[in-house]
Amino acid sequence: MEKSCTLVVHFDKGTPALANEIKEALEGNDVAAKIDALKKAIMILLNGETIPQLFITIIRYVLPSEDHTIQKLLLLYLEIIDKTDSRGKVLPEMILICQNLRNNLQHPNEYIRGVTLRFLCRLNESEIIEPLIPSILANLEHRHPFVRRNAVLAVMSVYKLPQGEQLLDSAPEIVDKFLSTEQDPSSKRNAFLMLFSCAQDRAINYLFTNIDRIIDWGEQLQMVVLELIRKVCRSNKGEKGKYIKIIISLLNAPSTAVIYECASTLVSLSSAPTAIRAAASTYCQLLLSQSDNNVKLIVLDRLNELKTSSREIMVEMVMDVLRALSTPNHDIRRKTLDIALELITPRNIDEVVMMLKKEVVKTQSGEHEKNGEYRQMLVQAIHTCAIKFPEVASTVVHLLMDFLGDTNVASAMDVVVFVREIIETNPKLRISIITRLLDTFYQIRAARVCSCALWIIGEYCLSLSEVESGIATIKQCLGDLPFYTVTEEGDGQEASKPIQQVNSTTVSSRRPAILADGTYATQSAALETAMSPPTLVQGSLSSIGNLRSLILSGDFFLGAVVACTLTKLVLRLEEVQTSKAEVNKATTQALLIIVSMLQLGQSSILPHPIDNDSYDRIVLCIRLLCNTGDEIRKIWLQSCRQSFVKMLADKQRRETEEIKAKAQISNAQPDDLIDFYHLKSRKGMSQLELEDEVQDDLKRATGEFTKDADDANKLNRILQLTGFSDPVYAEAYVTVHHYDIVLDVTVINRTKETLQNLCLELATMGDLKLVERPQNYTLAPESSKQIKANIKVSSTETGVIFGNIVYETSSNVLERTVIVLNDIHIDIMDYISPASCADVAFRTMWAEFEWENKVCLFPLSPIGYVFNQKVKKYGAIFSCSKQLHFH
């Protein structure tokens, strides 16, 4: 069984040192060899092995050494070894170390004195400590503060022993006198901590005696003061007012750690608006003044908690919170935006949106690599603001449309989705958005963004000029037709190549050619013969249309979207155009473009031919343009937008339901006590105390103090470990928190006898590790005991915790009784909590995770192989699910 120690070291059990080798090194005169041997001995003891033959060797050869490292290791060795027998009596050989400890406590070197006093704090055997008490007290007057601060801790540990009050009954008085004269901050902190733990009244008396000098005390002492205030106010709420005044005064302390603790203490003790406002302001100051990103994240968590409990006050601080966006860390920026978006109101929405617009403009500088990701977060935040308050959309939509051609595809996609939603929910902005979109469409380089922008053009170009501009824009981005030509090579074979702008000379030849209607003919024509390999003008795709380059790269899904958009525009042109000739001309041009794309997809020029879905879609567009009925026209021009409107309404409904689900549901009990504020005596109460009383009454009246749901969930997590007929009944409450499992075991003695040395022995199977072995207890008849055990989890796999309860009865000490416990199964579902995820966010995470390459399910079984293949094949189907949950 592993033993606990203040030192945690790694030891490789594969190559343990032999006891004889350690003994020989300890008996030698080489100091370095002794140090190494002592370390090996300590590591062997920490791993549960016993080497009793070393004790006398260490007493003879190590104890007299004056080397500081050896003395420190010796104290660690003495801490680990067993100092009592099976009956709890101190071993006789322990008398040998008492004289050495007394000599160390009187040693001329302050380091030896200090580490020895620190070692005494970890001793629980009063028989060893009792003869050392005069030397401990003498060190309280030592000249060096290192000795004095450890002497105070030693006094506190002695007083806390079961027989401590008999050993050192005057300890509180001694420490109180020591505290009044001590000047060292650390020593004063330890002395105040001793009074706080062992004589609380003396600590409170010292606090109010020196209340005017609290601001000048050291950081460590101020932290203990705050801990004392929290403890006193929880036990006696009536005296909360005078302590809160101390907390508010400490908000001006020079230490940021003290300021943070003051704010946390204020929030935990008071719900008065003045106190909450002071705490929120303090958090905002820390958010801006601290450079450590971890500190900023912790402060943002505290602000998020305040947002939940005191939203009205946090609304006033939203601009202060947004100043944290200046931190170049995406986790901080994301958390800041999440908090701010839940605090927007009609009063502050203009300021918030203005701040977000300034941040968007800053991302254009290109100074940081991840500006695109930050811009995406800002676009999503502005999108949320525009949904909640549609009147601000007009101030941001045109600015964001400048980023439709962003190189960050995710950011550009968020912009075009935002534009699509705003153009539907804000009809007044339709004309300006369409005009701006047609002007900037050529800048778009991402196929997904082009598809969404084309849908907007097809649905919202309503007037004659808009429809004509839409068709012209698409034609311009597609370039001249056809998409490829057929040329004649030297061996008479025909070859094809896509037409992009190339450097060439012209010669006359007879060759097969593709006519404008898509048919083949042999004619005398000007043949472009490249004198050099085809090269793009200026070496990039910037000189040709964006749609052309994407379609020539083989993206026929985009080609199908282009065909659908042209079809919609032509159908709408028939409604708004009076000239039949113009309509026929537009229809012919659209058909020519669609047929050219279809022929490109069926040619051998591209490595991958057109897919069946895109082919069917393009052919359907050709049929519609050739023969259009009223029903089909209605479906294409009205039903598509109606489906989009329903989707937006469904999205709004889901968001509303989520907000309602997150809202706290609190109910007051009919027999709860309600105090009437106006009938209370206000004599001697400060404004802060009055506000606190009002807030407590409101919470009590609305039932905010009740937590029935939490209690019900806790009952569901209780596991029975023994039977009802067993002499010892045990049940456990299991708490799983990330990589920590806490077992809160309740043990009940159902017999009429006292159970001695009762021990809960636990073992684990799987990637679980018991952190600390529970200690032994003595259980009176029909009494109970709460035993906690911490277990560390190294991976989210299923594990099993098993064990037994061992005890001795007072009637038969020699016989130990063992009760086997039921197994506790830790399932992977304990680590997963439900959460909703938007479709766009899911697809982004799906693309980043690449889990089909990383997860290996049952690699050695044929079932696992088949399952893996099915997951890879149908992963796209899974991504379309609307009800996906993540942790």
Side-chain angles (χ1 to χ4, degrees):
M1 179 64 69
E2 295 182 5
K3 298 184 179 181
S4 61
C5 177
T6 52
L7 177 72
V8 180
V9 293
H10 170 72
F11 178 56
D12 185 4
K13 291 185 178 181
T15 57
L18 297 176
N20 293 334
E21 297 177 359
I22 297 175
K23 186 176 180 181
E24 291 177 3
L26 292 176
E27 291 175 352
N29 295 324
D30 188 356
V31 175
K34 282 188 176 183
I35 291 174
D36 186 58
L38 263 179
K39 288 181 179 179
K40 291 179 180 178
I42 291 171
M43 288 188 287
I44 290 175
L45 289 172
L46 283 176
N47 282 273
E49 300 181 24
T50 57
I51 38 178
Q53 64 270 29
L54 283 184
F55 182 77
I56 298 301
T57 303
I58 289 176
I59 293 296
R60 292 180 59 188
Y61 297 100
V62 178
L63 212 61
S65 175
E66 294 292 332
D67 186 80
H68 289 183
T69 304
I70 291 180
Q71 287 296 324
K72 183 176 181 180
L73 291 172
L74 174 63
L75 294 177
L76 287 173
Y77 171 81
L78 295 176
E79 179 185 350
I80 299 168
I81 61 173
D82 292 323
K83 292 174 276 295
T84 57
D85 56 17
S86 59
R87 294 173 298 175
K89 299 293 184 180
V90 176
L91 296 172
E93 53 265 31
M94 289 298 112
I95 305 286
L96 298 174
I97 68 170
C98 285
Q99 183 60 38
N100 178 71
L101 293 175
R102 184 185 292 109
N103 293 338
N104 283 352
L105 291 176
Q106 297 171 357
H107 199 280
N109 185 277
E110 59 271 7
Y111 175 78
I112 298 295
R113 289 197 184 203
V115 294
T116 305
L117 288 166
R118 190 182 302 167
F119 164 72
L120 295 179
C121 296
R122 300 189 287 272
L123 282 183
N124 297 319
E125 291 75 23
S126 56
E127 292 88 346
I128 300 176
I129 292 179
E130 185 174 4
L132 304 176
I133 290 178
S135 300
I136 294 174
L137 296 178
N139 280 298
L140 289 173
E141 301 176 359
H142 193 272
R143 59 180 176 78
H144 203 284
F146 177 71
V147 177
R148 297 199 301 272
R149 75 178 67 132
N150 286 289
V152 173
L153 293 178
V155 170
M156 180 174 68
S157 64
V158 171
Y159 192 75
K160 283 185 174 181
L161 291 174
Q163 301 85 14
E165 294 188 10
Q166 288 79 23
L167 294 175
L168 196 57
D169 57 344
S170 60
E173 182 180 350
I174 293 172
V175 174
D176 193 3
K177 187 182 299 183
F178 170 83
L179 182 60
S180 60
T181 58
E182 181 59 43
Q183 300 299 321
D184 178 59
S186 297
S187 302
K188 291 180 71 174
R189 177 260 180 195
N190 292 348
F192 190 82
L193 179 63
M194 188 275 171
L195 295 180
F196 161 53
S197 304
C198 307
Q200 188 171 299
D201 293 339
R202 288 181 178 271
I204 294 173
N205 182 48
Y206 179 80
L207 175 64
F208 284 101
T209 302
N210 301 274
I211 194 170
D212 296 333
R213 289 178 288 178
I214 292 179
I215 195 68
D216 300 324
W217 288 354
E219 174 187 338
Q220 297 173 333
L221 183 55
Q222 289 174 343
M223 298 286 275
V224 181
V225 167
L226 291 172
E227 191 175 347
L228 171 66
I229 291 174
R230 282 194 292 266
K231 182 178 179 181
V232 172
C233 291
R234 288 193 185 102
S235 59
N236 188 2
K237 295 184 178 180
E239 299 182 0
K240 189 164 53 174
K242 58 183 180 181
Y243 289 105
I244 288 181
K245 294 176 183 177
I246 298 176
I247 299 173
I248 292 179
S249 67
L250 284 176
L251 286 175
N252 299 320
S255 169
T256 53
V258 173
I259 293 173
Y260 173 80
E261 285 297 325
C262 284
S264 302
T265 306
L266 267 181
V267 173
S268 63
L269 296 181
S270 175
S271 55
T274 304
I276 299 298
R277 193 173 287 108
S281 177
T282 301
Y283 285 141
C284 290
Q285 291 175 9
L286 291 173
L287 196 60
L288 298 175
S289 62
Q290 295 302 301
S291 58
D292 191 338
N293 289 340
N294 294 319
V295 174
K296 290 177 181 285
L297 289 171
I298 293 172
V299 172
L300 285 171
D301 286 337
R302 301 291 84 77
L303 288 171
N304 193 32
E305 294 171 1
L306 280 183
K307 176 205 67 181
T308 305
S309 59
S310 306
R311 185 179 183 276
E312 296 80 7
I313 296 173
M314 284 300 299
V315 166
E316 305 170 7
M317 304 285 179
V318 64
M319 295 308 296
D320 294 328
V321 174
L322 281 175
R323 291 168 67 185
L325 292 176
S326 58
T327 304
N329 180 280
H330 286 328
D331 293 329
I332 294 174
R333 285 169 166 173
R334 186 177 292 108
K335 190 168 287 191
T336 301
L337 289 173
D338 291 341
I339 294 173
L341 289 179
E342 295 187 24
L343 297 176
I344 52 177
T345 62
R347 288 187 176 183
N348 60 26
I349 183 62
D350 292 332
E351 292 180 316
V352 172
V353 171
M354 184 64 67
M355 179 78 170
L356 296 178
K357 285 174 62 178
K358 290 180 180 178
E359 291 297 318
V360 169
V361 174
K362 289 180 184 178
T363 60
Q364 292 178 296
S365 61
E367 296 177 0
H368 302 286
E369 295 180 0
K370 296 186 177 180
N371 269 350
E373 186 178 345
Y374 179 39
R375 189 184 306 123
Q376 181 184 357
M377 286 191 290
L378 293 171
V379 170
Q380 293 171 350
I382 293 174
H383 189 175
T384 304
C385 294
I387 292 173
K388 291 184 178 180
F389 301 95
E391 62 273 9
V392 303
S394 60
T395 63
V396 294
V397 65
H398 297 99
L399 171 66
L400 295 183
M401 290 181 72
D402 291 335
F403 299 100
L404 286 173
D406 196 347
T407 54
N408 185 345
V409 179
S411 176
M413 195 64 202
D414 286 334
V415 172
V416 77
V417 170
F418 169 66
V419 172
R420 184 183 65 181
E421 189 166 342
I422 292 302
I423 200 172
E424 172 59 39
T425 56
N426 293 264
K428 296 180 180 179
L429 300 176
R430 185 191 63 81
I431 298 176
S432 61
I433 290 177
I434 285 294
T435 305
R436 188 65 175 271
L437 181 59
L438 294 174
D439 291 341
T440 58
F441 184 80
Y442 71 94
Q443 300 175 355
I444 302 175
R445 294 293 168 184
R448 291 172 58 198
V449 182
C450 279
S451 300
C452 191
L454 286 169
W455 186 89
I456 296 173
I457 292 172
E459 289 293 335
Y460 295 97
C461 286
L462 303 180
S463 66
L464 177 60
S465 59
E466 290 171 351
V467 172
E468 291 176 344
S469 299
I471 296 174
T473 300
I474 295 174
K475 287 174 60 180
Q476 180 183 0
C477 292
L478 286 172
D480 298 330
L481 299 178
F483 289 105
Y484 72 98
T485 60
V486 179
T487 60
E488 187 176 315
E489 298 183 352
D491 57 356
Q493 298 292 326
E494 293 183 355
S496 304
K497 65 179 180 182
I499 295 181
Q500 295 177 353
Q501 292 179 340
V502 297
N503 300 321
S504 61
T505 60
T506 304
V507 297
S508 180
S509 174
R510 294 180 59 83
R511 61 172 179 82
I514 301 176
L515 301 181
D517 60 355
T519 60
Y520 289 92
T522 301
Q523 62 181 10
S524 178
L527 174 66
E528 289 185 340
T529 304
M531 300 304 293
S532 60
T535 57
L536 296 175
V537 176
Q538 298 178 354
S540 69
L541 294 177
S542 59
S543 58
I544 61 174
N546 52 349
L547 292 180
R548 186 184 189 91
S549 62
L550 292 170
I551 291 173
L552 288 177
S553 66
D555 191 345
F556 286 101
F557 175 80
L558 178 61
V561 175
V562 172
C564 293
T565 303
L566 286 172
T567 303
K568 288 181 182 179
L569 291 175
V570 170
L571 292 178
R572 188 163 283 113
L573 185 63
E574 295 177 3
E575 294 182 349
V576 298
Q577 176 61 268
T578 58
S579 173
K580 192 69 174 177
E582 292 293 333
V583 174
N584 292 337
K585 180 181 177 182
T587 304
T588 304
Q589 292 175 345
L591 283 170
L592 179 60
I593 293 172
I594 295 172
V595 169
S596 298
M597 286 191 296
L598 201 58
Q599 287 185 335
L600 175 65
Q602 294 178 323
S603 68
S604 60
I605 184 64
L606 297 179
H608 301 289
I610 186 171
D611 58 284
N612 293 334
D613 291 339
S614 300
Y615 175 84
D616 293 341
R617 190 77 170 167
I618 293 175
V619 170
L620 176 62
C621 293
I622 295 174
R623 291 176 179 173
L624 288 176
L625 290 176
C626 295
N627 185 12
T628 307
D630 293 336
E631 289 298 325
I632 299 297
R633 184 189 301 274
K634 182 179 179 182
I635 292 173
W636 279 69
L637 297 184
Q638 297 180 17
S639 299
C640 290
R641 194 190 302 182
Q642 290 172 0
S643 299
F644 178 60
V645 172
K646 289 180 181 178
M647 187 193 79
L648 292 181
D650 184 61
K651 177 184 174 183
Q652 184 68 28
R653 179 183 57 79
R654 288 201 309 269
E655 291 177 351
T656 305
E657 290 177 355
E658 289 178 4
I659 293 173
K660 289 181 180 179
K662 290 181 181 178
Q664 294 183 352
I665 301 175
S666 55
N667 299 306
Q669 297 299 320
D671 57 346
D672 284 350
L673 178 65
I674 298 178
D675 294 327
F676 291 93
Y677 166 67
H678 292 286
L679 300 180
K680 279 188 175 183
S681 172
R682 305 184 187 183
K683 186 176 180 181
M685 296 180 68
S686 64
Q687 181 63 30
L688 185 62
E689 292 176 89
L690 292 174
E691 291 180 4
D692 209 18
E693 289 287 340
V694 174
Q695 293 299 319
D696 286 347
D697 292 344
L698 287 174
K699 288 184 177 181
R700 195 176 292 110
T702 56
E704 193 171 327
F705 287 145
T706 61
K707 297 182 179 178
D708 297 335
D710 294 340
D711 295 338
N713 292 333
K714 190 172 183 178
L715 289 174
N716 292 334
R717 299 292 298 152
I718 292 178
L719 303 175
Q720 184 179 341
L721 300 181
T722 63
F724 291 112
S725 60
D726 288 324
V728 176
Y729 175 77
E731 62 183 18
Y733 172 66
V734 183
T735 304
V736 179
H737 181 70
H738 296 301
Y739 292 100
D740 294 315
I741 298 176
V742 179
L743 294 182
D744 193 351
V745 183
T746 303
V747 180
I748 302 175
N749 180 8
R750 304 181 64 193
T751 67
K752 301 295 184 180
E753 294 182 301
T754 299
L755 305 183
Q756 299 178 351
N757 293 327
L758 185 143
C759 177
L760 176 66
E761 296 181 349
L762 296 174
T764 59
M765 186 171 64
D767 292 325
L768 306 175
K769 179 177 173 57
L770 186 65
V771 176
E772 187 176 356
R773 177 175 176 263
Q775 66 184 61
N776 294 352
Y777 296 95
T778 299
L779 215 56
E782 298 182 350
S783 62
S784 63
K785 187 70 179 178
Q786 297 283 341
I787 303 175
K788 288 193 176 183
N790 295 320
I791 294 173
K792 207 74 176 174
V793 184
S794 58
S795 69
T796 54
E797 295 181 359
T798 301
V800 180
I801 303 171
F802 55 93
N804 50 55
I805 292 177
V806 182
Y807 62 89
E808 301 169 355
T809 58
S810 55
S811 59
N812 191 354
V813 180
L814 299 179
E815 182 180 351
R816 293 175 66 84
T817 305
V818 179
I819 300 176
V820 180
L821 305 178
N822 292 331
D823 295 346
I824 301 174
H825 293 267
I826 304 298
D827 191 21
I828 190 173
M829 294 304 295
D830 294 326
Y831 306 101
I832 300 174
S833 58
S836 60
C837 180
D839 292 343
V840 176
F842 169 73
R843 290 190 176 91
T844 303
M845 287 188 288
W846 183 279
E848 291 176 354
F849 191 38
E850 298 177 356
W851 64 286
E852 70 277 9
N853 298 326
K854 296 180 181 178
V855 176
C856 184
L857 302 173
F858 312 103
L860 300 180
S861 69
I863 297 176
Y865 175 77
V866 172
F867 184 79
N868 285 336
Q869 300 306 312
K870 293 294 184 184
V871 166
K872 293 177 183 178
K873 182 176 181 181
Y874 298 111
I877 298 175
F878 297 160
S879 68
C880 297
S881 173
K882 295 288 185 182
Q883 302 297 328
L884 290 168
H885 298 279
F886 287 88
H887 177 53

